[in-house]
Amino acid sequence: MDNNDILIRLRYALEIKNKEMAEIFKLGGVELSVPEVIKVLTKSSEEEENEDQIKCTNSMLDSFLNGLIISKRGRQEPKPGQSSVDLPSNKIENVNNLLLKKVKIAMSLTTEDMLDIFEHAGIMVTKAELGALLRKEGHKNYKECGDKFARNFLKGLAFKYRE
């Protein structure tokens, strides 16, 4: 599952319009017009390069997820003595873990909500497994989130928000 596919599925699950997508990208620090957003939301085929598609990079996806958090929860002002720290985009290795964390924050989901979302998708996840997926990379209990988990999370999210 590539980043374009993640955006397509997330857009469907949360019923986000193209104009709103452009605004969310802008909040995250990426300037995209509505026609460019449509090109990002074009499904990619692995065999051929498509000139009607813009490839979504890890940093673009990260910016979109940051913009989603800001659009849903508002911009957070740094506390006194605290600098605003963002992950450098070249350090992002597993976007699926990032997706779970940032959607959880943006939608104000509790652990129970996330377990319900996975259950809607037909997959049983324990609290310990979910905790391992949400841990910081490098932590001893960190578990990499595979495409199957991410796909099922987005499927469950669609059930929850499109019912």
Side-chain angles (χ1 to χ4, degrees):
M1 190 163 72
D2 67 356
N3 294 346
N4 293 63
D5 197 29
I6 289 172
L7 279 176
I8 292 166
R9 290 168 186 256
L10 190 58
R11 175 185 180 268
Y12 172 78
L14 301 178
E15 296 186 85
I16 304 172
K17 308 267 185 282
N18 291 341
K19 188 175 181 195
E20 293 171 31
M21 291 285 287
E23 291 167 6
I24 291 171
F25 269 113
K26 187 175 182 179
L27 286 172
V30 175
E31 291 284 335
L32 285 180
S33 65
V34 175
E36 289 172 326
V37 166
I38 292 169
K39 287 183 178 184
V40 169
L41 295 172
T42 304
K43 207 157 185 69
S44 63
S45 64
E46 295 176 17
E47 302 90 40
E48 57 190 59
E49 280 294 312
N50 188 352
E51 58 197 42
D52 293 333
Q53 183 201 24
I54 297 175
K55 195 84 174 134
C56 181
T57 63
N58 287 354
S59 62
M60 277 177 71
L61 181 63
D62 185 40
S63 296
F64 177 80
L65 293 171
N66 288 336
L68 183 65
I69 291 169
I70 293 168
S71 74
K72 297 288 184 189
R73 304 210 33 185
R75 194 172 295 276
Q76 183 180 11
E77 298 300 321
K79 295 178 178 86
Q82 178 187 28
S83 63
S84 62
V85 180
D86 271 344
L87 285 174
S89 56
N90 59 356
K91 295 273 187 186
I92 302 169
E93 289 181 24
N94 193 343
V95 293
N96 294 338
N97 290 73
L98 187 73
L99 170 73
L100 292 180
K101 289 178 197 174
K102 294 204 175 185
V103 170
K104 180 181 193 273
I105 293 167
M107 305 310 291
S108 303
L109 299 172
T110 63
T111 301
E112 294 301 321
D113 293 335
M114 292 195 67
L115 294 174
D116 287 343
I117 287 170
F118 278 114
E119 194 174 313
H120 275 303
I123 190 169
M124 290 302 297
V125 179
T126 65
K127 279 187 177 184
E129 286 176 309
L130 182 60
L133 293 171
L134 297 173
R135 295 226 182 259
K136 192 174 187 177
E137 202 167 338
H139 187 279
K140 69 176 186 163
N141 293 333
Y142 170 81
K143 180 181 177 192
E144 194 169 296
C145 181
D147 283 348
K148 181 182 174 189
F149 270 105
R151 205 177 355 263
N152 280 307
F153 176 71
L154 292 170
K155 181 180 168 186
L157 207 62
F159 281 127
K160 181 177 173 88
Y161 287 100
R162 293 186 69 94
E163 285 182 336

